[in-house]
Amino acid sequence: MRLDLVTDKIYTFKMNSGEEMIAKVIDNVDNQFKVSDPVSVAPGPQGMGLVPSLFTADPDQSVTINTNSIAMYVETDDNVRAKY
């Protein structure tokens, strides 16, 4: 099953766990999104910030997300995308 995401665009994902994640979609096929540079939205001293979603992974490798773990997704807002 292929979902309607456009590759090479940055999307915001709301995970079933409640976590909000931002990543660039590389591909989507077989109920999985392949993404690069995933970051999570987290509160910080100056408000919300972006932190790496995976601290121990090779940053040059893509990450696979199972679409069953995603509650909703949308193309990331221009202001947030500029900080990404």
Side-chain angles (χ1 to χ4, degrees):
M1 181 171 125
R2 190 160 176 91
L3 300 176
D4 62 345
L5 273 76
V6 177
T7 58
D8 293 327
K9 288 204 175 200
I10 299 167
Y11 286 88
T12 299
F13 300 95
K14 183 72 166 187
M15 310 305 287
N16 292 333
S17 65
E19 177 184 11
E20 193 166 318
M21 184 172 62
I22 300 169
K24 184 178 194 178
V25 172
I26 299 170
D27 195 12
N28 63 85
V29 66
D30 295 332
N31 294 325
Q32 296 181 336
F33 294 137
K34 187 179 277 193
V35 300
S36 66
D37 304 315
V39 295
S40 296
V41 178
Q46 281 81 29
M48 299 306 273
L50 303 176
V51 297
S53 293
L54 300 169
F55 290 100
T56 59
D58 180 349
D60 295 328
Q61 286 193 323
S62 62
V63 175
T64 302
I65 303 171
N66 186 320
T67 57
N68 293 328
S69 301
I70 300 170
M72 60 183 124
Y73 61 89
V74 66
E75 196 170 333
T76 303
D77 178 80
D78 290 339
N79 293 327
V80 176
R81 188 173 37 244
K83 294 176 184 174
Y84 173 78

XYZ file of all heavy atoms in Angstrom:
646
model
N 0.830 -1.178 0.000
C 0.000 0.000 0.000
C 0.877 1.244 0.000
O 1.803 1.353 0.772
C -0.861 0.000 1.261
C -1.775 1.172 1.342
S -2.899 0.921 2.715
C -2.585 2.411 3.597
N 0.619 2.158 -0.887
C 1.410 3.379 -0.989
C 0.544 4.549 -0.550
O -0.543 4.749 -1.067
C 1.882 3.566 -2.423
C 2.896 4.659 -2.579
C 3.642 4.443 -3.901
N 4.553 5.518 -4.118
C 5.811 5.529 -3.726
N 6.286 4.497 -3.072
N 6.589 6.547 -3.965
N 1.023 5.325 0.413
C 0.275 6.480 0.898
C 0.663 7.715 0.107
O 1.624 7.715 -0.646
C 0.520 6.658 2.395
C 0.092 5.460 3.244
C 0.458 5.675 4.687
C -1.394 5.216 3.110
N -0.063 8.794 0.293
C 0.066 9.964 -0.575
C 1.129 10.982 -0.147
O 0.951 12.171 -0.359
C -1.293 10.648 -0.713
C -1.825 11.163 0.615
O -1.299 10.762 1.660
O -2.770 11.957 0.586
N 2.219 10.564 0.423
C 3.294 11.482 0.771
C 4.192 11.702 -0.439
O 4.435 10.784 -1.213
C 4.133 10.937 1.925
C 3.607 11.295 3.306
C 2.408 10.445 3.627
C 4.669 11.130 4.332
N 4.697 12.894 -0.564
C 5.607 13.247 -1.652
C 7.031 13.068 -1.142
O 7.374 13.558 -0.065
C 5.378 14.713 -2.103
C 6.362 15.107 -3.180
C 3.945 14.903 -2.566
N 7.856 12.362 -1.898
C 9.237 12.160 -1.464
C 10.004 13.469 -1.547
O 9.653 14.384 -2.299
C 9.936 11.078 -2.306
O 9.892 11.453 -3.677
C 9.275 9.730 -2.122
N 11.046 13.550 -0.741
C 11.922 14.716 -0.623
C 11.225 15.935 -0.025
O 11.675 17.058 -0.208
C 12.569 15.076 -1.967
C 13.545 14.011 -2.419
O 14.185 13.382 -1.553
O 13.663 13.787 -3.632
N 10.118 15.717 0.681
C 9.460 16.790 1.424
C 9.548 16.472 2.906
O 9.688 15.317 3.302
C 8.007 16.951 1.007
C 7.866 17.566 -0.356
C 6.528 18.228 -0.505
C 6.507 18.938 -1.853
N 5.511 19.954 -1.906
N 9.434 17.505 3.719
C 9.536 17.353 5.164
C 8.130 17.302 5.756
O 7.300 18.174 5.484
C 10.368 18.496 5.761
C 11.776 18.453 5.164
C 10.406 18.407 7.280
C 12.608 19.671 5.420
N 7.895 16.273 6.578
C 6.586 16.050 7.178
C 6.685 16.012 8.695
O 7.727 15.643 9.255
C 5.997 14.719 6.697
C 5.515 14.767 5.275
C 6.371 14.482 4.218
C 4.201 15.090 4.981
C 5.935 14.528 2.908
C 3.751 15.135 3.667
C 4.625 14.854 2.647
O 4.192 14.909 1.348
N 5.579 16.365 9.327
C 5.421 16.217 10.769
C 4.548 14.997 11.007
O 3.484 14.861 10.404
C 4.753 17.467 11.374
O 5.591 18.599 11.127
C 4.536 17.304 12.866
N 5.020 14.109 11.873
C 4.298 12.887 12.217
C 3.898 12.940 13.683
O 4.729 13.238 14.540
C 5.187 11.651 12.013
C 5.661 11.482 10.610
C 6.894 11.972 10.213
C 4.880 10.820 9.677
C 7.340 11.808 8.908
C 5.320 10.650 8.371
C 6.552 11.150 7.988
N 2.653 12.664 13.976
C 2.195 12.482 15.354
C 2.100 10.982 15.555
O 1.304 10.296 14.900
C 0.832 13.153 15.562
C 0.344 13.072 16.978
C 1.150 13.997 17.869
C 0.448 14.173 19.215
N 1.103 15.166 20.026
N 2.954 10.468 16.425
C 3.015 9.036 16.647
C 1.909 8.606 17.613
O 1.403 9.416 18.394
C 4.395 8.654 17.211
C 5.571 9.218 16.411
S 5.555 8.802 14.660
C 6.013 7.087 14.737
N 1.551 7.333 17.574
C 0.549 6.795 18.493
C 0.952 6.987 19.945
O 0.099 7.076 20.824
C 0.293 5.316 18.216
C -0.399 5.101 16.888
O -1.107 5.968 16.397
N -0.183 3.941 16.294
N 2.252 7.084 20.209
C 2.771 7.279 21.565
C 2.569 8.710 22.059
O 2.766 8.991 23.231
C 4.261 6.956 21.601
O 4.977 7.895 20.794
N 2.199 9.630 21.150
C 2.053 11.037 21.508
C 3.233 11.883 21.073
O 3.153 13.110 21.050
N 4.345 11.238 20.741
C 5.534 11.964 20.292
C 5.258 12.630 18.947
O 4.571 12.087 18.093
C 6.702 10.984 20.149
C 7.968 11.618 19.612
C 9.085 10.609 19.376
O 8.821 9.385 19.426
O 10.203 11.048 19.130
N 5.810 13.830 18.773
C 5.731 14.519 17.488
C 7.124 14.494 16.868
O 8.103 14.873 17.505
C 5.262 15.956 17.688
C 4.857 16.624 16.405
C 4.090 17.912 16.643
O 3.228 17.944 17.536
O 4.374 18.884 15.919
N 7.209 14.036 15.643
C 8.484 13.870 14.970
C 8.439 14.562 13.612
O 7.397 14.576 12.951
C 8.786 12.382 14.787
C 10.129 12.102 14.181
S 10.554 10.347 14.189
C 9.274 9.671 13.185
N 9.574 15.118 13.199
C 9.717 15.773 11.899
C 10.824 15.044 11.145
O 11.876 14.744 11.724
C 10.070 17.258 12.061
C 8.960 17.965 12.831
C 10.308 17.920 10.703
C 9.319 19.362 13.280
N 10.581 14.753 9.869
C 11.585 14.047 9.072
C 11.330 14.280 7.591
O 10.219 14.605 7.186
C 11.563 12.552 9.371
N 12.370 14.092 6.808
C 12.267 14.171 5.352
C 11.935 12.781 4.818
O 12.645 11.814 5.110
C 13.582 14.653 4.760
C 13.549 14.852 3.271
C 14.891 15.386 2.800
C 14.805 15.909 1.402
N 16.089 16.477 0.970
N 10.867 12.673 4.050
C 10.442 11.385 3.504
C 11.258 11.065 2.254
O 11.329 11.870 1.322
C 8.934 11.390 3.188
C 8.538 10.129 2.444
C 8.127 11.530 4.464
N 11.866 9.903 2.255
C 12.660 9.441 1.111
C 11.826 8.521 0.226
O 11.892 8.574 -0.988
C 13.922 8.701 1.600
C 14.793 9.645 2.422
C 14.697 8.129 0.437
C 15.920 8.933 3.136
N 11.015 7.655 0.866
C 10.186 6.702 0.128
C 9.065 6.237 1.034
O 9.149 6.354 2.256
C 11.035 5.506 -0.316
C 10.358 4.655 -1.382
O 9.331 5.088 -1.954
O 10.851 3.551 -1.649
N 7.989 5.734 0.436
C 6.915 5.116 1.216
C 6.325 3.966 0.428
O 5.844 4.133 -0.666
C 5.857 6.155 1.631
C 5.149 6.781 0.472
O 4.178 6.223 -0.026
N 5.595 7.938 0.027
N 6.422 2.786 1.026
C 5.930 1.572 0.389
C 5.737 0.494 1.453
O 6.415 0.507 2.490
C 6.899 1.100 -0.724
C 8.225 0.662 -0.174
C 6.276 0.039 -1.588
N 4.802 -0.406 1.211
C 4.569 -1.549 2.102
C 4.330 -1.132 3.550
O 4.923 -1.687 4.471
C 5.745 -2.534 2.042
C 5.881 -3.172 0.678
O 4.858 -3.294 -0.026
O 7.017 -3.544 0.318
N 3.466 -0.141 3.768
C 3.118 0.321 5.121
C 4.313 0.848 5.908
O 4.335 0.763 7.132
C 2.421 -0.780 5.913
C 1.077 -1.123 5.334
O 0.368 -0.254 4.831
N 0.713 -2.384 5.386
N 5.307 1.366 5.202
C 6.480 1.932 5.867
C 6.897 3.213 5.162
O 6.799 3.325 3.942
C 7.642 0.953 5.851
C 7.370 -0.310 6.622
C 8.546 -1.251 6.599
O 9.384 -1.218 5.698
N 8.625 -2.108 7.594
N 7.370 4.166 5.967
C 7.989 5.377 5.427
C 9.482 5.265 5.670
O 9.909 4.954 6.781
C 7.501 6.643 6.135
C 6.052 6.952 5.917
C 5.260 7.356 6.970
C 5.478 6.859 4.668
C 3.930 7.667 6.781
C 4.144 7.152 4.463
C 3.369 7.560 5.530
N 10.272 5.501 4.652
C 11.709 5.604 4.828
C 11.998 7.103 4.926
O 11.608 7.872 4.041
C 12.471 4.985 3.667
C 13.973 4.925 3.906
C 14.688 4.279 2.758
C 14.597 2.779 2.940
N 15.511 2.054 2.060
N 12.647 7.530 6.028
C 12.889 8.947 6.269
C 14.365 9.187 6.584
O 15.096 8.259 6.931
C 12.017 9.481 7.428
C 10.539 9.309 7.133
C 12.377 8.844 8.754
N 14.774 10.444 6.470
C 16.119 10.832 6.874
C 16.024 11.955 7.895
O 15.039 12.701 7.940
C 16.946 11.277 5.665
O 16.424 12.458 5.109
N 17.034 12.060 8.720
C 17.179 13.133 9.711
C 15.958 13.314 10.607
O 15.442 14.433 10.752
C 17.512 14.454 9.012
C 18.753 14.360 8.148
O 19.749 13.789 8.620
O 18.716 14.841 7.003
N 15.465 12.257 11.258
C 14.298 12.426 12.128
C 14.652 13.197 13.398
O 15.678 12.938 14.031
C 13.902 10.985 12.453
C 15.177 10.218 12.360
C 15.961 10.883 11.261
N 13.825 14.164 13.734
C 13.974 14.910 14.983
C 12.639 14.900 15.707
O 11.582 14.826 15.089
C 14.450 16.366 14.754
C 15.849 16.394 14.167
C 13.494 17.137 13.876
N 12.709 14.976 17.029
C 11.504 15.016 17.853
C 11.322 16.426 18.389
O 12.291 17.157 18.631
C 11.631 14.035 19.019
O 11.704 12.718 18.529
N 10.070 16.804 18.581
C 9.752 18.094 19.154
C 9.749 17.916 20.671
O 9.100 17.011 21.199
C 8.376 18.583 18.652
C 8.008 19.906 19.282
C 8.383 18.691 17.128
N 10.509 18.779 21.384
C 10.622 18.660 22.836
C 10.656 20.046 23.470
O 11.181 20.990 22.877
C 11.893 17.893 23.188
N 10.087 20.171 24.675
C 10.128 21.464 25.352
C 11.546 21.787 25.820
O 12.300 20.903 26.222
C 9.177 21.277 26.534
C 9.121 19.805 26.767
C 9.384 19.161 25.440
N 11.908 23.061 25.748
C 13.215 23.522 26.194
C 13.074 24.857 26.910
O 11.959 25.376 27.055
N 14.182 25.440 27.349
C 14.132 26.709 28.085
C 13.492 27.857 27.293
O 12.843 28.727 27.866
C 15.592 27.021 28.380
C 16.330 25.751 28.183
C 15.521 24.922 27.231
N 13.662 27.883 25.991
C 13.086 28.929 25.140
C 11.813 28.473 24.433
O 11.435 29.057 23.419
C 14.106 29.400 24.090
C 15.151 30.367 24.607
C 16.291 29.662 25.323
O 16.608 28.522 25.014
N 16.879 30.331 26.291
N 11.185 27.442 24.918
C 9.984 26.916 24.266
C 10.274 25.589 23.596
O 11.206 24.882 23.961
N 9.499 25.268 22.583
C 9.664 23.990 21.896
C 10.929 23.995 21.037
O 11.257 25.004 20.410
C 8.450 23.694 21.017
C 7.147 23.594 21.799
S 7.238 22.415 23.153
C 6.794 20.936 22.306
N 11.621 22.865 21.027
C 12.834 22.730 20.241
C 12.866 21.394 19.523
O 11.988 20.545 19.713
N 13.875 21.219 18.693
C 14.043 19.982 17.923
C 15.264 19.245 18.445
O 16.349 19.826 18.536
C 14.199 20.305 16.436
C 13.075 21.106 15.802
C 13.398 21.429 14.347
C 11.750 20.378 15.904
N 15.090 17.978 18.789
C 16.186 17.141 19.265
C 16.229 15.868 18.421
O 15.197 15.443 17.898
C 16.033 16.787 20.763
C 16.076 18.023 21.633
C 14.766 16.012 21.018
N 17.404 15.263 18.283
C 17.475 14.023 17.499
C 16.513 12.973 18.051
O 16.373 12.812 19.264
C 18.923 13.571 17.673
C 19.672 14.807 18.042
C 18.709 15.653 18.822
N 15.839 12.256 17.167
C 14.941 11.180 17.593
C 15.710 9.943 18.004
O 15.258 9.170 18.843
C 13.981 10.818 16.463
O 13.111 11.886 16.211
N 16.866 9.725 17.408
C 17.715 8.574 17.706
C 19.113 9.076 18.033
O 19.764 9.686 17.182
C 17.785 7.629 16.503
C 16.454 7.051 16.030
C 16.637 6.355 14.689
C 15.917 6.084 17.062
N 19.574 8.816 19.242
C 20.899 9.296 19.649
C 22.014 8.324 19.302
O 23.155 8.726 19.149
C 20.920 9.566 21.161
C 20.098 10.759 21.549
C 18.828 10.602 22.065
C 20.586 12.045 21.372
C 18.058 11.691 22.423
C 19.821 13.149 21.718
C 18.557 12.968 22.246
N 21.707 7.041 19.160
C 22.770 6.046 18.974
C 22.846 5.497 17.552
O 23.634 4.597 17.282
C 22.571 4.871 19.954
O 21.295 4.272 19.709
C 22.646 5.346 21.396
N 22.047 6.031 16.648
C 22.043 5.541 15.268
C 23.037 6.331 14.417
O 23.392 7.470 14.739
C 20.648 5.675 14.673
N 23.468 5.727 13.338
C 24.323 6.405 12.364
C 23.495 7.494 11.687
O 22.485 7.191 11.045
C 24.823 5.390 11.332
C 25.722 5.985 10.269
O 25.830 7.232 10.171
O 26.325 5.200 9.514
N 23.869 8.771 11.830
C 23.057 9.854 11.268
C 22.980 9.856 9.742
O 22.108 10.505 9.171
C 23.744 11.119 11.787
C 25.112 10.703 12.143
C 25.051 9.246 12.505
N 23.864 9.113 9.079
C 23.856 9.068 7.618
C 22.924 7.989 7.065
O 22.716 7.926 5.859
C 25.268 8.840 7.085
C 26.184 10.019 7.404
O 25.687 11.157 7.443
O 27.380 9.782 7.624
N 22.369 7.150 7.930
C 21.472 6.091 7.468
C 20.023 6.553 7.542
O 19.650 7.349 8.411
C 21.640 4.841 8.318
C 22.920 4.100 8.037
C 22.880 2.724 8.664
O 22.348 2.526 9.742
N 23.458 1.759 7.973
N 19.209 6.042 6.628
C 17.776 6.344 6.668
C 17.113 5.507 7.761
O 17.653 4.504 8.216
C 17.135 6.068 5.313
O 17.262 4.707 4.982
N 15.938 5.946 8.157
C 15.170 5.290 9.219
C 13.848 4.838 8.623
O 13.254 5.539 7.797
C 14.928 6.287 10.375
C 14.049 5.685 11.437
C 16.245 6.764 10.953
N 13.360 3.688 9.050
C 12.087 3.171 8.582
C 11.053 3.302 9.693
O 11.306 2.917 10.835
C 12.226 1.698 8.168
O 13.230 1.608 7.150
C 10.922 1.159 7.627
N 9.894 3.867 9.357
C 8.800 4.019 10.310
C 7.623 3.191 9.803
O 7.207 3.341 8.652
C 8.350 5.489 10.420
C 9.513 6.388 10.817
C 7.207 5.624 11.406
C 9.174 7.865 10.716
N 7.086 2.347 10.657
C 5.898 1.568 10.319
C 4.694 2.496 10.388
O 4.478 3.168 11.400
C 5.755 0.408 11.303
C 4.634 -0.522 10.929
O 3.561 -0.101 10.505
N 4.877 -1.802 11.095
N 3.897 2.563 9.338
C 2.763 3.483 9.313
C 1.714 3.142 10.367
O 0.922 4.012 10.740
C 2.097 3.515 7.922
O 1.689 2.204 7.565
C 3.050 4.064 6.886
N 1.724 1.930 10.908
C 0.799 1.575 11.985
C 1.119 2.324 13.277
O 0.295 2.383 14.179
C 0.814 0.071 12.249
C 0.245 -0.709 11.087
O -0.639 -0.238 10.391
N 0.772 -1.896 10.864
N 2.329 2.898 13.367
C 2.741 3.649 14.546
C 2.357 5.125 14.470
O 2.585 5.872 15.411
C 4.264 3.561 14.713
O 4.660 2.222 14.843
N 1.790 5.538 13.343
C 1.496 6.951 13.108
C 0.004 7.211 13.258
O -0.820 6.563 12.618
C 1.969 7.368 11.706
C 3.475 7.160 11.575
C 1.582 8.810 11.412
C 3.996 7.319 10.166
N -0.338 8.193 14.106
C -1.737 8.576 14.282
C -2.159 9.554 13.188
O -3.276 9.489 12.684
C -1.952 9.203 15.653
N -1.271 10.498 12.830
C -1.563 11.463 11.767
C -0.257 12.061 11.254
O 0.770 11.979 11.904
C -2.507 12.560 12.266
C -1.995 13.365 13.421
S -3.229 14.551 13.970
C -3.377 14.085 15.679
N -0.325 12.669 10.066
C 0.843 13.325 9.496
C 0.390 14.458 8.594
O -0.736 14.473 8.099
C 1.730 12.348 8.722
C 1.059 11.688 7.539
C 1.102 12.276 6.290
C 0.388 10.477 7.675
C 0.484 11.673 5.195
C -0.222 9.873 6.598
C -0.169 10.469 5.367
O -0.780 9.870 4.301
N 1.289 15.435 8.412
C 0.998 16.595 7.582
C 2.335 17.203 7.149
O 3.354 17.023 7.825
C 0.144 17.631 8.364
C 0.923 18.227 9.524
C -0.387 18.719 7.457
N 2.337 17.896 6.027
C 3.552 18.587 5.610
C 3.896 19.638 6.668
O 3.027 20.344 7.172
C 3.345 19.237 4.242
C 4.644 19.633 3.592
C 4.481 20.060 2.137
O 3.533 19.601 1.476
O 5.309 20.858 1.682
N 5.160 19.729 7.016
C 5.609 20.606 8.094
C 5.434 22.077 7.731
O 5.685 22.484 6.598
C 7.084 20.311 8.432
O 7.201 18.918 8.785
C 7.584 21.166 9.583
N 5.019 22.857 8.726
C 4.839 24.307 8.590
C 6.141 24.972 8.130
O 7.233 24.560 8.544
C 4.392 24.867 9.944
C 4.228 26.356 9.925
O 3.184 26.829 9.441
O 5.150 27.055 10.412
N 6.033 26.014 7.304
C 7.201 26.705 6.750
C 8.144 27.222 7.846
O 9.368 27.124 7.713
C 6.784 27.872 5.855
C 6.152 27.408 4.555
O 6.369 26.245 4.149
O 5.433 28.217 3.931
N 7.616 27.786 8.927
C 8.475 28.331 10.002
C 9.258 27.233 10.687
O 10.429 27.419 11.011
C 7.610 29.097 11.022
C 6.997 30.330 10.439
O 7.570 30.997 9.581
N 5.792 30.657 10.882
N 8.629 26.107 10.930
C 9.312 24.982 11.576
C 10.306 24.353 10.606
O 11.428 24.012 10.978
C 8.295 23.941 12.084
C 8.996 22.726 12.668
C 7.354 24.569 13.087
N 9.915 24.221 9.349
C 10.802 23.636 8.342
C 12.096 24.450 8.211
O 13.171 23.894 8.022
C 10.077 23.548 6.994
C 10.869 22.773 5.959
C 10.132 22.511 4.646
N 9.280 23.576 4.201
C 7.951 23.477 4.076
N 7.346 22.354 4.394
N 7.246 24.483 3.633
N 12.015 25.754 8.352
C 13.209 26.608 8.273
C 14.187 26.308 9.420
O 15.392 26.418 9.237
C 12.803 28.076 8.297
N 13.667 25.904 10.574
C 14.531 25.567 11.717
C 15.038 24.136 11.642
O 16.008 23.795 12.285
C 13.758 25.775 13.026
C 13.420 27.224 13.250
C 12.585 27.404 14.484
C 12.203 28.877 14.587
N 11.278 29.118 15.672
N 14.363 23.302 10.879
C 14.737 21.908 10.710
C 16.061 21.819 9.969
O 16.966 21.169 10.303
C 13.634 21.162 9.960
C 13.974 19.748 9.565
C 13.923 18.717 10.489
C 14.316 19.431 8.264
C 14.206 17.419 10.130
C 14.606 18.136 7.890
C 14.559 17.131 8.830
O 14.843 15.850 8.462
